[in-house]
Structure formats: structure tokens, C-alpha cells
Amino acid sequence: MRLIQFELAGGARRVGLVDGGLVREVRDATSTRELALAAIAAGQSLAGRIETLGLGEAHDYALLLAERRVLAPLDHPDPAHCLVSGTGLTHLGSASARDKMHQQNLGDDAALTDTMRVFRWGLEGGKPAAGQAGAQPEWFYKGDGGIVVRPGADLPLPPFAEDAGEEPELAGLYVIGDDGRPYRLGFALGNEFSDHVMERKNYLYLAHSKLRCCSFGPELRLGELPRHLSGFSRIRRDGAVLWEKEFLSGEDNMCHSLENLEYHHFKYAQFLRPGDVHVHFFGTATLSFADGVKTQPGDRFEIGIAEFGEPLSNGIAPAEPELRAGGVDRL
């Protein structure tokens, strides 16, 4: 089962079930978050809640996408209560991609050792027995719900950015129930979008490089994640394919189990506030930057895996600065 959030022509929100080329409204549902919280309160699965409510009017899915009326598949009415975060060095091959990003530091053994040490910890202890805590992954904060760009829209490139690089990933989508427990709704395609030139300058700039907008969706895939997933990551320039590469995910292609990654995120009490939404990116081993690609405004990213329905597509557009140097006022 795959869900989207979308807008009607007048702007009203709906939750829809993808049914081939159609999207059928879930009755009395205007928010995936509210739908999930109602399911938790009723002791139902999300799919069970949808079955209880039933389906209504059908809409042309291609038209919704073309008119950019498809929203991210999960959000919060107050963006401050949506936390966007992620983990790195989680996929087999991800350390190699990271080393390519830091190739100017090949003579710096300490920089390489940190990357390879964390990756090796994952290989050796990232898939513990069920119910056990394994090796801790790299973790990063990306922003709140205000950084999320809807599918199809442009990812803003701030004037201080040195790169606009895609990161094709899967994201876990969660709500925190009234009982303070995290509930996973399912998974979505994601473009984590980072500044790899900035990160490459110095590993301590990793935190800066992640503070960019991102996109995920268009669809939320309910249920468990297949162990092996193969898709594509593609960049188009002036309509033609500039770069394309296979994108692998699923636990068979990872050095951490999903259970372990989830534990090391939600073990922190501040991430268990009832009603909050979490979007957690699970990492990648596929980067165009590692192949020497330099993106530019006007390019379009396309990320797709057949099991997730329609691909995620976003462009790049320059953004005006929110704050100029010296722009902090004194009281």
C-alpha cells in the first residue's frame, strides 16, 4: 500500500491511496500524521485504519504531479515539530564514496582513519541480534519541517553554498504516539541534498554541509522494507541525461540493520515527544559528486525504485540570502 498527501484545486488537503494511475481519497483524512495518530489510538495498523475509513473520490495521479499538488507524504502543521535527521556510512560501499569525496586529504591518515573506523564498526557490529543494541552509526541533524521541499519543486541553493549535490536515500517516516513511543509509518524515497564541496574541505564541516533543504516522497510505502532494492539516481540537464547510476538499498546492501539505526536515533529522550514527526534518512553509497559531477541551477534530480511507485524529481534554483553578514541586531 502506498499513500500520498495532496492538495485539491482549491488548496484543501487530502490523503490518497495510489491505485495505478489514480489516487483515491481516504475518507475523512486530510493529514497522514492525524491518520496515523488515530490508528495508534484505535489500536489499528495504518492500513487497517484506512480500510475502516474507506476510499472516496479518485484523481488523476499524473495530473497531480504535473500541477505540483503532491505534498511530502508526512508533515506536521507546526514545522518546528518535524525533525529531519540521518545516518551516514550505513551502506556497503559508502566508505569508498566518502573517501572519494575527501580525496584531497589522501595524505591525512587521521581523516581517513575516522571514516574507515566508523564504517568498520558498522560492518562488525551494525546488525546485532533482535532486541540488542549494536554499533552506533554516524548521525547528523538536517533541520526541521521548514526545510522540506515538496516533490517536483526546486531545491533552493543558498548564496553561501559551494555545491548542490544529490544524495539518493530511503527515509523512514515516524510519528510519536501519545504513549511516547515511536511508530514507523513506512518508508519513502528521499533526496538528502548536501554540500559536498564544503564537507570535503574539512570533515568538521560535515554538520554545516547537511544544513540544506531536502525532499522525500512522493509516496509513503507502508509495511516492511524489502531486503534488496535496486533503483536509479539520475541528473538531467537541458532535458538530457547528464549522469545516471544504480542506487542500491535494503538491509542486504547495508552494514547496519534498520532496527539498530532506529534505536540509535530514538534512544534520546528529546526525540520522544508525543505528536512529533521524524524523517530519518538512512544513507547512501551513490553520489554523482564522487564521479566528478558539478551540478548547477536548472539541473533536475530523479531518484526512483520500482517498489516505491513514482520517482522523486526536484530541480535546483538559486535562493536569496535570508541573512547577510552583520545582519544580527542588538537589543
Side-chain angles (χ1 to χ4, degrees):
M1 184 180 288
R2 303 194 309 275
L3 302 178
I4 68 168
Q5 292 191 123
F6 66 100
E7 295 172 331
L8 300 177
R13 291 170 52 114
R14 295 290 187 271
V15 176
L17 175 70
V18 178
D19 183 11
L22 298 176
V23 171
R24 300 190 63 192
E25 292 183 22
V26 178
R27 295 187 189 278
D28 301 320
T30 59
S31 158
T32 306
R33 171 181 171 271
E34 293 297 333
L35 187 63
L37 291 173
I40 295 168
Q44 294 177 298
S45 67
L46 189 52
R49 185 64 184 169
I50 292 168
E51 184 176 351
T52 297
L53 294 173
L55 302 176
E57 186 177 349
H59 301 265
D60 184 284
Y61 191 10
L63 182 63
L64 293 176
L65 288 168
E67 294 182 349
R68 297 190 180 172
R69 288 195 275 135
V70 177
L71 306 168
L74 179 65
D75 56 9
H76 194 291
D78 179 355
H81 286 275
C82 173
L83 177 71
V84 185
S85 58
T87 58
L89 298 173
T90 55
H91 283 63
L92 303 174
S94 57
S96 174
R98 179 72 62 83
D99 281 346
K100 281 187 179 181
M101 255 198 318
H102 296 130
Q103 57 186 315
Q104 71 179 29
N105 294 326
L106 287 177
D108 185 347
D109 292 338
L112 289 177
T113 298
D114 285 345
T115 293
M116 295 309 296
R117 182 181 294 122
V118 171
F119 180 67
R120 187 167 60 247
W121 288 342
L123 286 174
E124 295 172 352
K127 293 182 176 180
Q132 300 295 314
Q136 186 169 256
E138 176 190 28
W139 183 96
F140 60 86
Y141 169 75
K142 191 155 182 70
D144 65 16
I147 69 164
V148 177
V149 172
R150 70 174 63 189
D154 290 336
L155 292 157
L157 181 64
F160 54 78
E162 300 181 58
D163 179 44
E166 87 297 336
E167 293 209 11
E169 306 189 18
L170 295 183
L173 307 186
Y174 307 84
V175 296
I176 310 301
D178 289 339
D179 56 3
R181 295 177 58 85
Y183 290 82
R184 186 206 310 138
L185 282 63
F187 302 89
L189 294 171
N191 185 346
E192 197 251 297
F193 197 58
S194 300
D195 189 330
H196 300 117
V197 170
M198 181 175 291
E199 179 187 347
R200 183 177 171 179
K201 283 184 172 180
N202 189 297
Y203 194 72
L204 296 179
Y205 283 168
L206 173 69
H208 282 284
S209 76
K210 295 298 186 182
L211 295 175
R212 301 291 185 274
C213 287
C214 66
S215 187
F216 61 93
E219 303 177 23
L220 161 62
R221 187 183 192 275
L222 275 58
E224 296 302 312
L225 191 70
R227 293 194 61 84
H228 173 77
L229 290 163
S230 175
F232 65 86
S233 180
R234 180 187 299 148
I235 300 173
R236 291 187 184 273
R237 179 172 294 170
D238 299 324
V241 175
L242 174 69
W243 174 89
E244 183 172 354
K245 203 163 190 175
E246 184 181 30
F247 160 45
L248 298 176
S249 197
E251 286 192 351
D252 285 352
N253 300 295
M254 298 172 69
C255 53
H256 285 265
S257 65
L258 292 171
E259 179 180 293
N260 191 53
L261 296 178
E262 290 175 330
Y263 166 71
H264 284 296
H265 177 68
F266 289 110
K267 68 184 181 184
Y268 298 106
Q270 63 262 43
F271 296 162
L272 298 175
R273 183 166 48 197
D276 277 8
V277 163
H278 288 252
V279 179
H280 195 63
F281 286 93
F282 287 121
T284 188
T286 306
L287 302 172
S288 67
F289 182 83
D291 290 341
V293 175
K294 176 67 174 178
T295 63
Q296 61 188 38
D299 290 350
R300 289 202 71 81
F301 303 115
E302 296 175 359
I303 298 168
I305 296 177
E307 289 87 345
F308 283 76
E310 290 294 320
L312 174 64
S313 175
N314 296 97
I316 310 171
E320 292 297 320
E322 297 287 340
L323 179 75
R324 298 187 183 279
V328 176
D329 294 327
R330 294 181 182 178
L331 290 179

